[in-house]
Amino acid sequence: MDETAKKTVTGGTDSSIPVTETWLRKHRLLYNGATRHPFILSIRDGSVDFSSFKRWLGQDYIFVRSFVPFVASTLVKLCKESSNESDMEVILGGMASLNDEINWFKKQASKYHVSLTSVVPQNANVKYCRFLESLTSSEIEYPVAITALWAIEAVYQESFAHCLEEGNRIPQELQETCERWGNEGFGAYCKSLRDIVDRCLQKASPAEAEVLFLRVVEHEVEFWNMSVGDV
Ligand SMILES: Cc1ncc(CNC=O)c(N)n1
């Protein structure tokens, strides 16, 4: 039995379709706007403008630094609300790879002569980071926070995995970037997050979670727009 079939038997609110699946079907156009953004397509076809890439690099470093406390706060919510052991390992694994990622950003920045200490966060980034900070509030419950975490990671995973699909003409220098988020391990991590969301929202799926999913996707589109200088 495949994964979807299994879920059909074991649970679901009414129609037995996992909640993430219903959202992705319902909001496909918006979601594709984030995962097939012109910036991503330009990396895939090799036409990417390197000044856009450098802008993205500096801005994303700032984003990732704000992302760390958000992920940590999600872990705290888990421990307070349910302390599921396997969820803890998934989130902790995500945090561990962020440590790696921060070092990777520093290395790339020096390669491309981007001074990380003098990057000024642009508007879309400031808004996205504020949004992340608002999610660290204790009023936001674990199932809602983990939904946002999944969506944030999934957009990057799908975007860069798309770059790596057959027929790509990724510039050699950007191969490593695409692999960072497009690799299989990161894909498995995103699938684990997605399963957590589907499990957490199986019985009660608050409208709040769907709204957050949409907010994340919108912020991601704005983030890519900023990277191509289209603000
Ligand atoms: C804007 C944005 N969204 C998602 C990610 C992926 N998560 C951690 O790296 C990212 N780096 N930047």
Side-chain angles (χ1 to χ4, degrees):
M1 206 185 281
D2 70 32
E3 278 302 305
T4 324
K6 252 188 250 163
K7 280 194 194 99
T8 309
V9 177
T10 53
T13 39
D14 49 352
S15 59
S16 72
I17 301 167
V19 68
T20 55
E21 179 72 31
T22 63
W23 294 343
L24 290 171
R25 287 185 195 176
K26 196 168 147 193
H27 308 296
R28 180 46 66 182
L29 265 163
L30 176 65
Y31 191 70
N32 284 0
T35 58
R36 301 288 187 270
H37 189 275
F39 179 63
I40 279 300
L41 299 179
S42 76
I43 293 177
R44 177 174 159 74
D45 72 17
S47 67
V48 61
D49 167 11
F50 269 79
S51 71
S52 297
F53 177 76
K54 285 165 74 167
R55 186 177 312 121
W56 166 80
L57 190 73
Q59 294 295 322
D60 211 41
Y61 174 74
I62 295 176
F63 173 85
V64 169
R65 295 209 74 101
S66 311
F67 186 57
V68 173
F70 162 68
V71 181
S73 77
T74 306
L75 188 59
V76 171
K77 292 182 209 293
L78 163 73
C79 297
K80 288 191 174 157
E81 293 173 36
S82 68
S83 76
N84 180 304
E85 264 183 46
S86 74
D87 286 17
M88 180 190 268
E89 284 156 26
V90 172
I91 301 169
L92 193 57
M95 293 204 62
S97 58
L98 283 171
N99 185 33
D100 237 42
E101 194 170 307
I102 284 180
N103 290 319
W104 179 84
F105 271 102
K106 289 181 180 164
K107 210 181 75 199
Q108 295 291 313
S110 85
K111 184 167 145 194
Y112 289 100
H113 309 288
V114 173
S115 159
L116 293 176
T117 49
S118 46
V119 175
V120 178
Q122 292 189 30
N123 219 297
N125 201 1
V126 171
K127 285 189 185 155
Y128 202 176
C129 292
R130 265 194 212 130
F131 167 77
L132 286 186
E133 210 203 322
S134 75
L135 300 181
T136 65
S137 152
S138 59
E139 280 164 39
I140 304 286
E141 292 179 349
Y142 174 65
V144 175
I146 196 82
T147 296
L149 176 56
W150 161 67
I152 293 167
E153 300 289 44
V155 167
Y156 259 47
Q157 192 272 326
E158 287 202 32
S159 300
F160 287 107
H162 177 63
C163 290
L164 292 169
E165 279 167 21
E166 216 167 288
N168 76 73
R169 304 183 60 193
I170 304 170
Q172 186 53 44
E173 306 95 296
L174 301 191
Q175 184 73 25
E176 209 183 296
T177 304
C178 296
E179 280 167 6
R180 168 149 290 277
W181 291 282
N183 78 74
E184 269 179 40
F186 194 72
Y189 163 62
C190 291
K191 178 69 172 78
S192 302
L193 290 175
R194 183 171 173 172
D195 289 342
I196 295 174
V197 174
D198 286 329
R199 190 200 70 227
C200 285
L201 302 183
Q202 207 172 56
K203 291 191 198 79
S205 126
E208 193 189 356
E210 183 172 1
V211 169
L212 271 198
F213 165 75
L214 290 173
R215 291 292 93 82
V216 166
V217 179
E218 285 163 0
H219 277 298
E220 290 289 339
V221 172
E222 291 298 319
F223 200 91
W224 293 134
N225 287 345
M226 165 192 72
S227 302
V228 295
D230 185 13
V231 277

